[in-house]
Amino acid sequence: MKLQCDFTASGLPILDQEDIEVLAEDILREKQPDRLNEPSALDVEALLIKLNLVKKEAILSRNESILGLISFREQTLPTFEEDLSYASIPVEHGNIVIDSRLKKIPTRYRFTVVHELAHWMLHRTYYENPQKRDYFFRHIGFSYVACKKDPKEYGRKNPKEAQTDDEWVEWQADNLSGALLMPRSQFLKVANAIMKELGYTEPKIIAGQRDPRKAIVLERLAVFFQVSKRSVKIRLRTLGIYVEPEGIGNSI
């Protein structure tokens, strides 16, 4: 799927939140159309196959700071053995490598795979063109995007906070990941049904208010879409359901 958008001088796609919502549903309509007919969790492995992407696993850092990466050329990448001695793994153009230790946190594992997939959909032209940019991480001469652990789980909630290309790249990949895992139309359908069942008169959750139903909404959406409750909360904020009390700024 070719991106239909403008680009910066450095080759970075110019996409706002609405662009990303539309793009996510376009991708699903082409690759997993059933998900837009009936709400369900994303079949991540099937999507990788449809995009001709190969996923591998390795230990990517000693301190678990690197969650995953996607390679933009054939190369041999430095990794680690189980005892944290040095090792390596051969990768090809478009290979995704996920830190094998993430398997103990299935929701983070799924999100990381989709995050790397999003980099492929959005940024491979940006990173592959040597006249624009070549991403070097840890060792000069290696070309790949390596994504580090982010305590926010994903995405700056306000894109105006992104200033550098690196920040925009991560904001775009994070938010496309959220939109693929929880496509707007289907996510809203499920969220509205759950909130109606729990007695909400409108689909609004006010941050900071004592409401035992809030935790139930987050838990049920997280289980349904196979994501973390943190991801659900951010998605609810992005779509205007989880809001601050009037006159209070946004916070996670």
Side-chain angles (χ1 to χ4, degrees):
M1 178 179 291
K2 185 176 181 181
L3 288 179
Q4 303 293 326
C5 65
D6 293 328
F7 295 83
T8 67
S10 61
L12 185 68
I14 299 173
L15 299 166
D16 61 18
Q17 187 64 48
E18 180 61 24
D19 295 327
I20 288 172
E21 300 293 346
V22 172
L23 176 60
E25 297 210 358
D26 285 346
I27 293 169
L28 294 172
R29 191 171 294 109
E30 180 179 317
K31 306 299 182 183
Q32 289 189 21
D34 289 347
R35 286 202 70 220
L36 298 181
N37 298 325
E38 187 67 28
S40 62
L42 177 66
D43 188 335
V44 175
E45 299 297 327
L47 184 56
L48 288 174
I49 292 171
K50 287 287 185 70
L51 294 171
N52 297 312
L53 295 176
V54 173
K55 174 173 63 69
K56 299 183 176 184
E57 293 179 354
I59 295 177
L60 297 175
S61 62
R62 286 196 168 107
N63 60 0
E64 300 187 49
S65 62
I66 301 174
L67 304 179
L69 61 85
I70 185 162
S71 175
F72 291 105
R73 68 174 183 233
E74 183 177 335
Q75 55 194 318
T76 300
L77 298 178
T79 58
F80 298 91
E81 300 285 4
E82 292 290 338
D83 64 0
L84 300 183
S85 60
Y86 286 108
S88 63
I89 182 173
V91 294
E92 297 181 359
H93 180 246
N95 281 183
I96 289 172
V97 186
I98 303 298
D99 192 287
S100 56
R101 294 165 295 188
L102 275 187
K103 288 187 289 188
K104 63 189 178 186
I105 313 175
T107 56
R108 185 174 285 276
Y109 185 101
R110 277 170 54 82
F111 190 91
T112 302
V113 174
V114 180
H115 179 97
E116 303 306 334
L117 179 157
H119 276 310
W120 179 256
M121 299 293 294
L122 296 173
H123 304 129
R124 65 182 182 272
T125 300
Y126 173 69
Y127 285 120
E128 286 172 356
N129 188 337
Q131 294 182 338
K132 292 178 180 175
R133 180 184 171 97
D134 194 14
Y135 190 97
F136 297 129
F137 186 82
R138 288 195 297 162
H139 297 278
I140 298 299
F142 293 94
S143 178
Y144 56 94
V145 173
C147 297
K148 295 184 177 182
K149 184 180 293 184
D150 179 359
K152 293 182 181 178
E153 180 106 9
Y154 79 87
R156 286 178 166 80
K157 52 193 176 296
N158 180 0
K160 292 181 181 178
E161 294 179 20
Q163 297 179 358
T164 68
D165 275 6
D166 285 348
E167 289 172 335
W168 278 113
V169 161
E170 292 306 311
W171 182 87
Q172 290 175 354
D174 282 344
N175 283 276
L176 181 56
S177 303
L180 286 169
L181 287 161
M182 298 167 278
R184 178 171 58 185
S185 60
Q186 301 307 306
F187 182 81
L188 290 175
K189 184 183 296 184
V190 177
N192 287 338
I194 291 172
M195 295 177 74
K196 184 177 181 180
E197 180 185 331
L198 293 173
Y200 284 89
T201 57
E202 61 176 337
K204 291 287 183 185
I205 296 174
I206 309 300
Q209 285 189 354
R210 291 187 178 181
D211 182 355
R213 299 172 300 175
K214 186 189 316 182
I216 299 172
V217 173
L218 296 178
E219 176 67 26
R220 289 180 61 179
L221 285 169
V223 170
F224 188 93
F225 289 100
Q226 297 179 28
V227 296
S228 71
K229 287 184 284 188
R230 185 76 168 169
S231 290
V232 167
K233 188 175 180 181
I234 294 172
R235 191 72 175 130
L236 289 170
R237 284 194 184 280
T238 299
L239 298 176
I241 297 176
Y242 200 108
V243 299
E244 296 293 333
E246 194 169 335
I248 303 297
N250 196 12
S251 64
I252 292 300

